[in-house]
Amino acid sequence: MAEPVGGTPGADPAGFELPLLLFAGFRSVIDALHAELAEEGHAGLSPAHGYALQAVGLAGSTAGEIGRRLGVSKQAAGKTVEKLEALGYVERLDDPHDGRRKLVRLSPHGIDMLTRSAEGFDRLRAAWVRTLGADRVRALEDDLRTMAGADAHRLDMAAWFNG
């Protein structure tokens, strides 16, 4: 692990290190998950694709709804849907309630990816528990829930980073 920037281990680090460490922890989990998914037949997906598949949801959504959930334009959501459709993760169907709209639904391949993702996150959390201990991981999660607030589970992270 890299030395703390500008400080000594155990000393109070500079304030900018906290978001960098939080992001590094996030990225280590996401990178490990995507490595697993690639080995399980889901190569070529980015983290943004995972958020988009979550935005589609099990009931399906329109491109406009997906865009709102992701914090991007309908056009940007449409391009992401096109990519996911080309990769076999979603399919577009006529909306049974409104023939003018297309409904985007998860394909069996998309459902498999989300299922494997959930299982992978459980394995990765278990690895953190083995390293840090169950009490410390639970305390970390509780503390992050407190600090992140009620809307911690937002899907618009990619748009926030790129915005």
Side-chain angles (χ1 to χ4, degrees):
M1 182 163 181
E3 294 275 329
V5 177
T8 315
D12 283 341
F16 71 86
E17 286 191 55
L18 177 61
L20 294 176
L21 289 168
L22 290 168
F23 180 71
F26 169 78
R27 182 157 180 186
S28 71
V29 170
I30 297 299
D31 287 348
L33 177 71
H34 279 267
E36 280 186 22
L37 289 171
E39 291 176 7
E40 296 173 350
H42 295 284
L45 288 177
S46 71
H49 291 136
Y51 284 102
L53 290 171
Q54 290 289 332
V56 170
L58 294 176
S61 302
T62 65
E65 291 166 338
I66 295 166
R68 281 189 293 283
R69 291 176 187 156
L70 296 175
V72 300
S73 69
K74 180 180 175 181
Q75 292 78 12
K79 286 184 180 189
T80 301
V81 167
E82 286 176 14
K83 175 73 172 173
L84 291 171
E85 186 176 31
L87 292 170
Y89 289 96
V90 298
E91 53 194 13
R92 288 191 238 203
L93 309 160
D94 290 331
D95 186 328
H97 305 292
D98 184 346
R100 298 168 293 167
R101 297 184 340 159
K102 289 287 186 184
L103 190 62
V104 179
R105 275 200 338 209
L106 296 171
S107 69
H109 195 51
I111 293 170
D112 180 69
M113 184 279 208
L114 289 178
T115 301
R116 289 175 186 266
S117 291
E119 293 165 352
F121 281 128
D122 287 344
R123 281 190 300 277
L124 291 164
R125 185 186 183 281
W128 281 47
V129 167
R130 283 191 301 278
T131 301
L132 301 174
D135 291 342
R136 287 185 67 192
V137 171
R138 233 178 275 112
L140 174 63
E141 292 167 335
D142 290 344
D143 291 344
L144 289 171
R145 276 186 204 94
T146 297
M147 298 308 294
D151 64 347
H153 297 287
R154 294 173 56 169
L155 297 175
D156 65 348
M157 185 177 300
W160 181 81
F161 264 116
N162 294 326

